[in-house]
Amino acid sequence: MALSNIVLVGVDGSSESGAALKYAVAEANRRGARLRVVATYFPEYSVHGRTQPVTPSESAIEVDLEKETQRMVEDALAGDAPHPPVEIVVAAGPAAAVLIDRSSEVDVLVLGHRGRGGFASMLLGSVSLQ
């Protein structure tokens, strides 16, 4: 298997994913690798068995999510020099499925220990478990 020289990190805006992002920056710097930051969203929801698109357009969601992810990246890079090359990816779909799919393209996948889920006592979040 050829190495891609990419460190992939999933972020969701939580402080735990911010910590994972900072770790991924350090790991990318250590390896001399590129950093790929992935944020996901759900483009639709289901009500009583009928699937409906979310109210804002997918492009509006992607623009907002990319801006928020860019802010997270800027915070994570503050004070660190040199910075790894960074690519931000915004993808529709469940976070675990998107990250599992994209992990085949990279050398390292970094995740926070828990995200925005409601099970505060869990050591791993649902994405990490999957």
Side-chain angles (χ1 to χ4, degrees), residues 37-58:
V37 182
V38 176
T40 64
Y41 67 96
F42 290 99
E44 57 191 24
Y45 66 97
S46 181
V47 176
H48 300 290
R50 290 189 311 241
T51 301
Q52 304 291 325
V54 294
T55 302
S57 70
E58 282 188 46

Side-chain angles (χ1 to χ4, degrees), residues 37-101:
V37 182
V38 176
T40 64
Y41 67 96
F42 290 99
E44 57 191 24
Y45 66 97
S46 181
V47 176
H48 300 290
R50 290 189 311 241
T51 301
Q52 304 291 325
V54 294
T55 302
S57 70
E58 282 188 46
S59 60
I61 293 169
E62 289 176 1
V63 167
D64 287 346
L65 189 52
E66 186 168 0
K67 285 179 187 176
E68 289 303 315
T69 303
Q70 181 63 43
R71 275 187 265 252
M72 286 185 74
V73 168
E74 290 168 3
D75 288 346
L77 295 177
D80 286 339
H83 303 303
V86 177
E87 172 191 6
I88 295 174
V89 176
V90 174
V98 170
L99 292 168
I100 289 167
D101 181 56

Side-chain angles (χ1 to χ4, degrees), residues 75-120:
D75 288 346
L77 295 177
D80 286 339
H83 303 303
V86 177
E87 172 191 6
I88 295 174
V89 176
V90 174
V98 170
L99 292 168
I100 289 167
D101 181 56
R102 292 177 181 264
S103 69
S104 65
E105 309 166 350
V106 302
D107 299 331
V108 177
L109 171 62
V110 178
L111 300 173
H113 74 286
R114 69 174 299 281
R116 295 175 174 254
F119 300 101

